[in-house]
Structures are given as C-alpha cells and as structure tokens.
Amino acid sequence: MDEEEAPAPTLASPKDKLILLVDDEETIRTFLGICLTTEGFEVLTAINGVDAAARLEERTPDLIISDLMMPRQSGYEFIRSLPGASLNGVRLFVITGSVLDSSTIEMIKREAGVHEFFTKPLKVKSFVAAVHKHLKTAPSSDRGQGGGLNDRA
C-alpha cells in the first residue's frame, strides 16, 4: 500500500440500522419500505407526526424519513418538535410531493436540521445511495449479495 493511500473506511451493515419512515400515503410507505428492506435496513413506519412521536418513545432510529405534508401533524411540525438531545446522531430526510422554491427548501433544511430533501416522485437509486451515505452502510451490491435496488438501472 502506498503511503498516500488511506485505508477504505469500514462500512456498517444495513441490518444494524433502524429507519423510521413517516408518510400518510400507504403506497409511499409500502414502496419505500420495500426499497429499504431490500437493501437490508430495518424499517418502522408511521402515518403522521403524532404516530411517529409514539414510535420514537419505543426506539430511537438511525434515520428519520418524513413526508412534509401530512394530516394531524405535518412532517415539518414533527421534525421541529424533536428535542435536539434526542437526535444525537439521528439523520433527518424530508420527502415531499409539494412544489417548493429553493429558498423554502434551504430554510427547511437549515431550520429543522434536515440532511437531505427529496421531491416525489423519488429517484430510487439516488435516494437509496443517500441513505447508505448518511448511515455509512454498504449498499447491497457492495456486500456481494446482489439483488439490491442499486443493482438496477
């Protein structure tokens, strides 16, 4: 090994990571749940911010993925209600079907501590890649098992 070459970082297994997926649309929860479990992640789901808060009392996830517009308590209200101390190391992603201007997106990312912001319909490969990047996990193709979503064009 050359002195200039740094060893590759060791990536965690997705099976050791928990994701809380919050969306009021059952089809979105099901689709993203399948995408994430296919990659090896454990996924909990919630239908709105109130339901998500109850899930957080049970377990602390490594990543929270929340829709922005939901009934009862929106994703933005839910994320803003999270106490900073309980988010130690928890990543936040927002997904939305709403059309928002870039300044609104930047404000949400800054104010709520959001790490990624995706608009629906999602580009699955980049979404899954961002999940792996932020959780420092090996994509399914890197684990030699094949069959993961990153193996599809």
Side-chain angles (χ1 to χ4, degrees):
M1 178 191 311
D2 293 333
E3 289 180 36
E4 295 177 21
E5 284 184 38
T10 303
L11 298 175
S13 172
K15 70 179 175 63
D16 299 328
K17 301 294 182 174
L18 176 64
I19 298 173
L20 175 59
L21 175 59
V22 189
D23 199 302
D24 60 314
E25 293 182 51
E26 184 177 358
T27 54
I28 298 293
R29 283 193 317 274
T30 301
F31 175 71
L32 291 180
I34 290 169
C35 292
L36 295 167
T37 56
T38 298
E39 288 294 315
F41 295 103
E42 182 180 356
V43 179
L44 291 176
T45 60
I47 60 171
N48 58 39
V50 174
D51 188 27
R55 296 280 188 185
L56 287 174
E57 290 179 14
E58 300 165 14
R59 297 177 69 191
T60 301
D62 299 286
L63 171 66
I64 297 170
I65 301 168
S66 180
D67 186 16
L68 197 57
M69 307 302 276
M70 296 179 289
R72 199 151 177 225
Q73 185 183 37
S74 74
Y76 183 70
E77 292 169 326
F78 163 64
I79 291 169
R80 295 266 336 249
S81 73
L82 296 171
S86 70
L87 287 179
N88 189 19
V90 177
R91 301 289 188 185
L92 301 171
F93 287 13
V94 167
I95 56 176
T96 186
S98 300
V99 177
L100 303 173
D101 62 56
S102 60
S103 63
T104 302
I105 293 170
E106 287 306 312
M107 184 273 305
I108 291 169
K109 288 171 74 174
R110 264 193 322 276
E111 192 170 326
V114 174
H115 292 83
E116 294 283 345
F117 197 100
F118 294 93
T119 55
K120 297 174 188 174
L122 294 173
K123 294 178 178 150
V124 175
K125 283 180 80 169
S126 35
F127 173 75
V128 169
V131 171
H132 283 295
K133 176 183 132 190
H134 285 279
L135 294 181
K136 296 179 175 62
T137 53
S140 58
S141 60
D142 290 353
R143 294 191 309 272
Q145 296 171 350
L149 290 165
N150 283 333
D151 295 339
R152 294 174 179 86

